[in-house]
Amino acid sequence: NAGVTQTPKFRILKIGQSMTLQCTQDMNHNYMYWYRQDPGMGLKLIYYSVGAGITDKGEVPNGYNVSRSTTEDFPLRLELAAPSQTSVYFCATSLISGLGEQFFGPGTRLTVL
Amino acid sequence: AQSVAQPEDQVNVAEGNPLTVKCTYSVSGNPYLFWYVQYPNRGLQFLLKYITGDNLVKGSYGFEAEFNKSQTSFHLKKPSALVSDSALYFCAVRLKKVNYGGSQGNLIFGKGTKLSVKP
């Protein structure tokens, strides 16, 4: 079992470029989440999904989009990268929302210059 | 508004001494409480959780946490710290009641506390 995998590990973008952060899980968890982690700020929820075809905004969704066409994959899309999106992005999954632990991927470190 | 506070940015402890990492919360209703640990350049790992029952919860790597409803706290503790415990620790809270499709079920994380254990 690979658990939660994220690609790429690192990426540098120029302002205005777009990219997709990939997240894949093999645990058959229904719930998936995208967080961003900024120094000294903890984790902020960007988007989450309760199952294939169902997504919803978290605390900081502006500038991002998501889709969930399968149970396994939950990509995060940045359409027009801005310096404020420089952060470390984590994908996570859980079997039951809020009752069980969340399992995190290793993260993607994104820099927007 | 729901919130989680970790009042210490950093905690320094000598190896072998007990450690405490503090967490307080503010939510309406009874919360579910979690502790996660993050080692450098890694994702978060679950340590322990409080759902209901005994106020003292035991978790991974010898950690435990005490739920105190009157003080709205959920401090993380370990009787004897190891250098390998040095990491970033996050407290998180979630409401017990879940509305399908709503955001009440999601975790709210504290800002994190850096634990440094010196030999």
Side-chain angles (χ1 to χ4, degrees):
Chain A
N1 274 354
V4 183
T5 58
Q6 292 183 238
T7 56
K9 289 188 180 353
F10 306 94
R11 184 73 184 268
I12 298 176
L13 283 181
K14 294 182 179 179
I15 295 172
Q17 286 185 319
S18 61
M19 77 164 294
T20 298
L21 282 67
Q22 301 291 346
C23 175
T24 300
Q25 55 112 347
D26 62 1
M27 296 182 289
N28 203 30
H29 286 176
N30 285 333
Y31 293 85
M32 296 188 74
Y33 312 83
W34 273 106
Y35 294 92
R36 58 176 290 171
Q37 183 181 28
D38 301 310
M41 297 298 292
L43 276 75
K44 301 292 186 183
L45 182 65
I46 304 171
Y47 270 94
Y48 67 101
S49 170
V50 302
I54 307 171
T55 63
D56 205 351
K57 296 177 180 178
E59 186 180 357
V60 290
N62 291 344
Y64 307 95
N65 277 301
V66 294
S67 60
R68 183 94 181 272
S69 57
T70 66
T71 299
E72 294 78 20
D73 299 306
F74 190 41
L76 178 71
R77 179 83 178 160
L78 283 71
E79 290 293 348
L80 292 170
S84 61
Q85 294 177 305
T86 294
S87 188
V88 181
Y89 291 85
F90 290 101
C91 178
T93 74
S94 66
L95 183 57
I96 304 172
S97 180
L99 299 177
E101 63 197 84
Q102 292 188 12
F103 295 83
F104 284 78
T108 294
R109 185 175 295 274
L110 176 67
T111 302
V112 182
L113 300 174
Chain B
Q2 305 162 45
S3 64
V4 174
Q6 293 181 243
E8 303 153 317
D9 291 334
Q10 182 156 344
V11 171
N12 298 312
V13 177
E15 188 174 32
N17 283 0
L19 70 88
T20 299
V21 183
K22 296 179 180 177
C23 172
T24 60
Y25 64 90
S26 174
V27 297
S28 56
N30 293 319
Y32 288 170
L33 294 157
F34 299 80
W35 275 102
Y36 285 82
V37 60
Q38 184 181 30
Y39 298 101
N41 300 314
R42 303 286 294 276
L44 278 68
Q45 297 177 32
F46 171 78
L47 274 180
L48 51 79
K49 67 182 177 185
Y50 171 81
I51 304 298
T52 187
D54 195 348
N55 289 343
L56 186 63
V57 179
K58 294 189 183 297
S60 307
Y61 312 120
F63 283 93
E64 56 190 26
E66 186 170 10
F67 172 65
N68 188 317
K69 187 173 183 178
S70 63
Q71 297 186 3
T72 62
S73 67
F74 189 55
H75 300 331
L76 182 70
K77 301 180 180 183
K78 188 173 182 181
S80 179
L82 300 172
V83 173
S84 57
D85 292 330
S86 298
L88 194 56
Y89 290 81
F90 289 95
C91 181
V93 66
R94 206 207 108 127
L95 278 180
K96 185 177 287 187
K97 185 175 182 180
V98 176
N99 290 332
Y100 177 81
S103 63
Q104 289 93 328
N106 296 322
L107 291 178
I108 300 169
F109 285 87
K111 293 183 178 182
T113 298
K114 183 179 179 181
L115 174 65
S116 178
V117 183
K118 299 295 186 185

